[in-house]
Amino acid sequence: MSSRAPLAPTDDTATQADHQVVRVPARWLTRLVRSTGRNRIDLLVGLFYAALAGALTHRLWADPTGLVLALNPEDQVLYEWFLAVDARALLGDFGLSTDRLNAPVGVNLMANTSVIALGVLCAPVTLAFGAPVTFALLVTVNLAGTATAWYLLFSRTLRVHRAAATLGGGLCGFAPGMVSQSNSHLHMTAQWLLPVIVWLVVRLLRAADPAARPGPGGLPAAEPRRRRLITSAIGLAAAVSAQVFIGEEVLFLAALTLLVMAVTMIITDRDLARRAMPAFAGAMALATGTALLVLARPLWFQFAGPLGVADGMFSPHYFSADLRSWWAISPLSMLGDDRSAQLSTGPAEYNTFLGWPLLVVTVGCAAWLGRRPLVLACAAGILVMGALSLGPEVVLDGEGSGLPGPYALLGGVPVVDGALPMRFALAVPPLMATLLVLAVDRALRGAGRARRLTLVAVAVAVVPLLPAPLPTAQRPPVPEFITAGHWKTCVEPGGVLVPVPLATPKEPWPMRWATAVNAEFSMPQGFFIGPHGRGGSAAMGVAPRPTSALLADVARSGLRPVVGDEQRRRATQDVAHWGASCVVLAADTAHADSLRLTLEALYGPSTRLTDAWYWRV
């Protein structure tokens, strides 16, 4: 036998190996314990935010499938369907468009607020427990995650007292606008990447400023830190790219706010601008170019690709903030007044309801902090974004004043003029929170009357904004015909099933059928944005086909129409246009008997299976 042959380990060798195996997880566990110990306060703050978010959404968690957010159920149906479609990426079915809605044409997902990144990230949850559970999870996580991210930014970047940072994070994550948008607008409440973007911009600025770090002999460094500039730029490109696939509107508002703040900083601190601008501009160009490498095709697909839209479809005059709403308390706050709801377009848009105590205290804090560049930049951002929220014409108590608002300057600017004016106000709470954080930190580090006055004033300003739990309502169960898989008896997976009545933007309820089976089948019409308006402009949904319009009339009135050869011919043409395999009517549908008899007049005898009738077409 060769002397080089491997020898069996002795007992000592085996013992040493066992000790090494044990030592590796032991070291990992030790590091974890130490890290947890160092950051235990941060962990407790995050748990506090999670508990608060859970308290606000606990009614939905009681039964995510059987309950719906009562103030905006239509959008919840839409986002649950988006999450179901996004989750199909885990099954190998992924694209920037889908044929699972609006058959046979399909839908451009980039032209809709389809939260692709969130849906793909949560795909395992959706496939295991269903899209309603994922929706409830995201409503909760968006609130807690946004608050935690801002807390970390305040405590790490501004290096303020943790109590001040906790207050600031809570105001950012649970501001009246955030709570209001939680009524089904996942793309607006997923703001936990914004503090990361802000941190990367600050990191980039500090790396570009030679005076931000000492050089030899304690003097300012001669050159910017190139490595940090590059890593910050690439990180910024990655964060921006991810946010595009979560919510572009939030990213647009953040970019505009940062632009206003940057201009203010340049004006108020010209020495910093002179030192840092060349390297900062170069790094921002690198970040922009890197992001465009990732986003060029998706953005082209959104605006100029198949079924893309380049214009806005909402009137800025309608979605303008009432000036009086700024000093009103949100109806969704514990101390709110339902009568103030008339100052907004709906319960998902209470973006400006900050209350007069917070406005007054914010002004006082800004004056007390003095002419620091950051304070002036925040004040400028508040004024600009607040003014833009008033829309093309200033409205007071629901009446137009005849005074043009700054938003009128954006009229005609492509893409930008499609933004909803009242949502510009969502950029204001983080700026106000920054001022309050700085003021509270200064008060906590001081003593005397100023300390007491500041803390009491901030408490008085914030307490009226404490949110109440989001209201919910029961919703009917999805038919067993769908949930038990009986739909496969009349349509192949990937085929087209026609629910009766068909889904529309105002009545999207049949989309829940597809959501319940993770969008395994397609359906005509639906709730989405596409270029189906006059002249190819953006519109919600599509014009109904003759048969779908006929069935919608029956569903509304319960009256049976006269069905002749013309109606049967159109019904045959419509199912052929949709590429449908079967038509399905649930037994618990309103006016089900009238609908069934009408369908039998159009398509012949029906087949009953569990709790639905179906027609093979």
Side-chain angles (χ1 to χ4, degrees):
M1 181 181 292
S2 170
S3 61
R4 296 184 179 181
L7 300 175
T10 63
D11 291 343
D12 291 341
T13 305
T15 301
Q16 291 175 2
D18 290 342
H19 286 172
Q20 289 176 351
V21 171
V22 172
R23 196 177 298 125
V24 171
R27 285 200 298 266
W28 178 86
L29 184 60
T30 301
R31 290 196 195 99
L32 179 62
V33 171
R34 288 177 180 174
S35 177
T36 303
R38 286 194 303 269
N39 301 292
R40 61 183 180 277
I41 296 179
D42 298 337
L43 181 61
L44 290 174
V45 171
L47 291 174
F48 166 71
Y49 291 144
L52 180 55
L56 296 183
T57 59
H58 77 276
R59 294 174 180 171
L60 187 61
W61 278 108
D63 183 7
T65 302
L67 293 171
V68 65
L69 292 173
L71 300 180
N72 193 10
E74 295 86 357
D75 279 357
Q76 180 169 340
V77 170
L78 172 64
Y79 278 95
E80 288 176 348
W81 184 87
F82 280 145
L83 292 171
V85 170
D86 296 337
R88 297 192 61 79
L90 216 60
L91 306 176
D93 180 10
F94 177 76
L96 299 179
S97 64
T98 181
D99 61 355
R100 298 303 165 101
L101 196 64
N102 190 35
V105 179
V107 173
N108 185 319
L109 292 176
M110 286 300 299
N112 288 265
T113 54
S114 50
V115 292
I116 293 174
L118 297 181
V120 174
L121 183 65
C122 297
V125 179
T126 303
L127 296 178
F129 303 104
V133 173
T134 303
F135 177 87
L137 177 66
L138 287 172
V139 172
T140 307
V141 168
N142 283 349
L143 291 170
T146 299
T148 303
W150 281 108
Y151 159 80
L152 292 173
L153 179 72
F154 291 139
S155 61
R156 299 290 198 277
T157 305
L158 295 181
R159 299 187 182 280
V160 297
H161 195 286
R162 280 194 172 93
T166 302
L167 170 71
L171 181 57
C172 293
F174 299 92
M178 282 288 290
V179 175
S180 175
Q181 294 287 338
S182 292
N183 285 292
S184 303
H185 289 171
L186 296 181
H187 68 300
M188 298 304 300
T189 59
Q191 297 185 19
W192 29 267
L193 265 184
L194 292 192
V196 176
I197 292 173
V198 173
W199 172 71
L200 288 167
V201 172
V202 172
R203 186 175 188 264
L204 196 153
L205 177 61
R206 289 176 177 174
D209 181 13
R213 65 187 179 101
L219 298 174
E223 294 182 355
R225 288 177 280 186
R226 300 186 186 279
R227 182 176 180 181
R228 179 163 290 193
L229 281 171
I230 294 173
T231 57
S232 298
I234 294 175
L236 181 60
V240 166
S241 299
Q243 185 62 46
V244 165
F245 293 101
I246 295 174
E248 293 174 80
E249 193 169 355
V250 167
L251 180 62
F252 165 73
L253 296 176
L256 183 58
T257 305
L258 288 173
L259 177 61
V260 172
M261 296 180 70
V263 171
T264 306
M265 296 280 283
I266 290 173
I267 295 173
T268 57
D269 194 345
R270 296 182 181 179
D271 289 339
L272 172 63
R274 185 176 60 255
R275 294 191 312 265
M277 185 56 68
F280 182 80
M284 287 299 292
L286 173 62
T288 303
T290 305
L292 285 176
L293 289 176
V294 178
L295 298 174
R297 186 178 182 277
L299 292 178
W300 169 85
F301 196 88
Q302 174 180 349
F303 297 113
L307 303 173
V309 295
D311 60 321
M313 57 172 294
F314 301 105
S315 169
H317 292 274
Y318 180 73
F319 285 98
S320 296
D322 193 304
L323 181 60
R324 184 168 168 259
S325 68
W326 277 97
W327 55 81
I329 302 296
S330 170
L332 297 180
S333 299
M334 289 186 177
L335 301 181
D337 188 344
D338 290 339
R339 290 175 297 181
S340 61
Q342 62 186 350
L343 298 174
S344 182
T345 60
E349 300 292 347
Y350 296 149
N351 307 319
T352 53
F353 290 65
L354 297 176
W356 66 264
L358 181 59
L359 298 181
V360 171
V361 170
T362 301
V363 172
C365 289
W368 185 48
L369 292 169
R371 297 176 59 84
R372 296 167 55 179
L374 177 58
V375 173
L376 294 175
C378 288
I382 291 171
L383 292 174
V384 171
M385 300 304 285
L388 288 172
S389 74
L390 300 178
E393 180 187 5
V394 177
V395 175
L396 180 62
D397 267 335
E399 299 292 335
S401 66
L403 297 175
Y407 185 88
L409 299 175
L410 302 180
V413 179
V415 180
V416 175
D417 66 346
L420 303 186
M422 58 173 45
R423 290 186 180 173
F424 282 75
L426 292 172
V428 172
L431 301 175
M432 285 185 164
T434 303
L435 296 178
L436 265 60
V437 164
L438 293 173
V440 170
D441 178 68
R442 180 178 175 182
L444 291 174
R445 297 179 190 277
R449 181 180 300 177
R451 171 189 173 103
R452 294 192 297 271
L453 180 61
T454 301
L455 297 180
V456 170
V458 170
V460 170
V462 172
V463 167
L465 303 182
L466 292 176
L470 297 173
T472 58
Q474 291 285 339
R475 56 179 170 179
V478 175
E480 183 185 349
F481 179 83
I482 299 295
T483 58
H486 298 306
W487 59 273
K488 295 179 182 179
T489 61
C490 67
V491 59
E492 294 290 330
V496 179
L497 181 150
V498 180
V500 177
L502 282 77
T504 65
K506 292 184 178 180
E507 300 283 340
W509 322 122
M511 290 171 60
R512 295 181 58 220
W513 296 11
T515 299
V517 294
N518 295 316
E520 287 192 49
F521 58 77
S522 181
M523 58 175 54
Q525 297 187 183
F527 183 11
F528 62 93
I529 296 174
H532 306 298
R534 185 173 300 174
S537 60
M540 195 77 75
V542 293
R545 302 284 296 184
T547 304
S548 60
L550 175 69
L551 295 173
D553 288 339
V554 177
R556 272 192 301 270
S557 65
L559 301 177
R560 289 175 53 195
V562 176
V563 175
D565 292 339
E566 179 64 18
Q567 285 74 25
R568 280 187 283 270
R569 183 183 64 82
R570 288 180 176 178
T572 301
Q573 290 177 341
D574 288 343
V575 293
H577 169 78
W578 294 324
S581 299
C582 73
V583 176
V584 178
L585 171 66
D588 63 353
T589 304
H591 306 301
D593 289 337
S594 296
L595 285 167
R596 178 177 58 82
L597 293 173
T598 302
L599 287 166
E600 289 181 342
L602 293 172
Y603 298 117
S606 62
T607 301
R608 176 71 182 256
L609 182 57
T610 62
D611 56 353
W613 293 277
Y614 70 89
W615 291 258
R616 295 181 184 274
V617 292

